[in-house]
Amino acid sequence: MVNAHKTKQEICEIGRRIYAKGFAAANDGNISVRISENEVLCTPTLQCKGFLTPDDITTVDMSGKQIAGRKKMSSEALLHLEIYKQRADIKSVVHCHPPHATAFAVAREPIPQCVLPEVEVFLGDVPIARYETPGGQAFADTILPFVHKSNIMLLANHGTVSYGETVERAYWWTEILDAYCRILLLSHQLGRVQYVGEQKERELLELKKGWGYSDPRNTPEYKNCDVCGNDIFRNSWKDAGVERQAFNSPPPAAPQPAAPAASDQEALIRAITDRVLEALRQQGG
């Protein structure tokens, strides 16, 4: 049984963190927690997330209708609801505008991979969803190509949305991403970003798998992908207007050795057989 009042207090606490970090100016951003099959607690519209009280939190159903609360629900609730519909494991969604991450969303610059180990373990490849006017179902639908392969994404010319099993976990992904984007921008000012390379990245992916964190690069679908080349979401770049401009591409992955052709295999088998037979004849002679 979910304690709704305690959950509202947790939402308010995350709202204070978002505001204190500068992730949501004025009344920006929204936070939600799913508390039952058909009920979602959601922050209200036009209210600063740094000064919320439990009494401010609204309740909406999975169709997007407000069913409780003295204040009006967020206009972007449909974005949250679509994530819940797509991912039964998700219980909380956080949407805000962290400045460093949002800079990548505005520039539509893909976030480099293979730089920081912690980011590779906790986030992996971060997609950029195409721009759509906020508030409607069309805006909510922009997350559909990515929601099953990542727990955070950039919304082009808008901000970020992250989601997890708890409201704190959902917030963590945003904080990690913005800190990483800040480091990338500072490194770029120093001259360049150095990549850890494919071999070390594959070591990180093995650790990630062992620790129970999912990553598309650890699935058969992407077995032969370039693990440092943003390959998971590269096919979406054209639709979202994403293009690598500020950061150099990582070193290309070593080509996977091709399997020998059937004729080559047969020739190899014949050669080995001939050598074995010749050795046997010499021993018998």
Side-chain angles (χ1 to χ4, degrees), residues 52-131:
L52 292 168
T53 67
D55 191 45
D56 295 324
I57 307 302
T58 66
T59 306
V60 301
D61 66 19
M62 289 297 290
S63 72
K65 177 183 177 183
Q66 183 168 339
I67 55 178
R70 64 186 180 85
K71 295 189 174 181
K72 186 179 179 181
M73 71 182 208
S74 169
S75 61
E76 295 178 340
L78 292 178
L79 174 70
H80 298 238
L81 297 179
E82 193 59 46
I83 292 171
Y84 294 131
K85 290 173 184 176
Q86 297 297 322
R87 293 273 302 270
D89 60 314
I90 296 302
K91 302 301 179 187
S92 181
V93 177
V94 172
H95 163 56
C96 54
H97 309 151
H100 306 94
T102 301
F104 280 79
V106 170
R108 303 193 190 184
E109 175 80 22
I111 295 176
Q113 296 182 272
C114 295
V115 178
L116 284 186
E118 293 79 5
V119 172
E120 293 303 319
V121 169
F122 293 119
L123 301 185
D125 196 359
V126 178
I128 303 179
R130 62 180 175 80
Y131 178 77

Side-chain angles (χ1 to χ4, degrees), residues 32 79-80 82-84 86-95 122-123 125-127 129 142-155 160-174 233:
S32 71
L79 174 70
H80 298 238
E82 193 59 46
I83 292 171
Y84 294 131
Q86 297 297 322
R87 293 273 302 270
D89 60 314
I90 296 302
K91 302 301 179 187
S92 181
V93 177
V94 172
H95 163 56
F122 293 119
L123 301 185
D125 196 359
V126 178
T142 61
I143 59 94
L144 292 176
F146 318 110
V147 67
H148 292 285
K149 294 180 179 178
S150 177
N151 287 331
I152 187 167
M153 66 185 78
L154 299 178
L155 306 172
T160 63
V161 61
S162 56
Y163 31 98
E165 301 85 355
T166 66
V167 65
E168 183 156 16
R169 183 68 63 90
Y171 165 75
W172 278 356
W173 309 146
T174 295
F233 303 114

